[in-house]
């Protein structure tokens, strides 16, 4: 196979679709590295509560946003339901993040063990980094939004 050739699926002859999992793993790796760096900065700047808050915030971002892997599977099996499933997944991610903060507040960890500001900064920063890295990785991977018919006259 030449470097200019695109791998094709045997059944349809269409270009093989990327699963998108590599994009999620790449985004998670970037968030993890930057979250660990943020926790080190927090530890040196304000102590263990700041470092713990940054680590918990980073873990929340990785768990909640990493749960969108199912969207790629649904899009591969049933493309017509992909948008509905993506919106449902986003709604569940917002609910999960809210529940996580409610549990942390009710447990008293935010007053004693974790720094609330560093946790919020890690969640907000991690989410922004997640989105930016996904945009960059998707545009570099050139993952198609839709498939064209195999022949011009075919529908």
């Amino acid at each position: 196979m030449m470097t200019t050739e695109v791998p094709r699926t045997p059944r349809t002859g269409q270009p093989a679709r990327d699963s998108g999992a590599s994009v999620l793993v790449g985004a998670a790796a970037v968030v993890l590295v930057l979250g660990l760096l943020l926790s080190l900065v927090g530890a040196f700047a304000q102590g263990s509560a700041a470092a713990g808050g940054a680590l918990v915030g980073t873990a929340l971002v990785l768990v909640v946003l990493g749960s969108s892997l199912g969207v790629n599977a649904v899009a591969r099996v049933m493309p017509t339901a992909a948008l509905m499933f993506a919106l449902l997944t986003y709604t569940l991610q917002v609910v999960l993040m809210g529940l996580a903060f409610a549990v942390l507040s009710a447990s008293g960890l935010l007053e004693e063990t974790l720094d609330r500001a560093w946790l919020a900064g890690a969640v907000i920063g991690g989410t922004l980094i997640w989105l930016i890295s996904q945009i960059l990785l998707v545009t570099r991977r050139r993952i198609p939004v839709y498939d064209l018919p195999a022949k011009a006259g075919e529908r």
Side-chain angles (χ1 to χ4, degrees), residues 3 69 81 97 107-109 111 117 122 124 131 152 154-155:
T3 57
L69 188 59
M97 191 64 77
S107 70
L109 287 173
E111 287 78 28
I124 293 168
L131 293 174
E154 214 176 276
R155 287 193 181 237

Side-chain angles (χ1 to χ4, degrees), residues 1-84:
M1 180 195 293
M2 297 177 57
T3 57
T4 57
E5 290 182 29
V6 176
R8 306 234 175 229
T9 59
R11 186 173 56 93
T12 63
Q14 291 290 325
R17 272 192 168 258
D18 188 353
S19 69
S22 61
V23 172
L24 287 175
V25 170
V30 171
V31 169
L32 180 62
V33 167
L34 292 175
L36 291 174
L37 287 175
L38 182 65
S39 68
L40 284 174
V41 169
F44 288 122
Q46 293 184 344
S48 64
L55 285 175
V56 170
T58 302
L60 277 173
V61 169
L62 290 173
V63 169
V64 171
L65 295 182
S67 65
S68 62
L69 188 59
V71 175
N72 295 324
V74 170
R76 193 172 37 246
V77 174
M78 196 170 22
T80 56
L83 179 61
M84 179 186 68

Side-chain angles (χ1 to χ4, degrees), residues 23 27-28 30-31 61 65 90 93 124-138:
V23 172
V30 171
V31 169
V61 169
L65 295 182
Y90 174 73
Q93 287 173 336
I124 293 168
T127 301
L128 289 174
I129 290 166
W130 181 277
L131 293 174
I132 291 168
S133 61
Q134 270 199 321
I135 289 168
L136 291 175
L137 290 169
V138 166

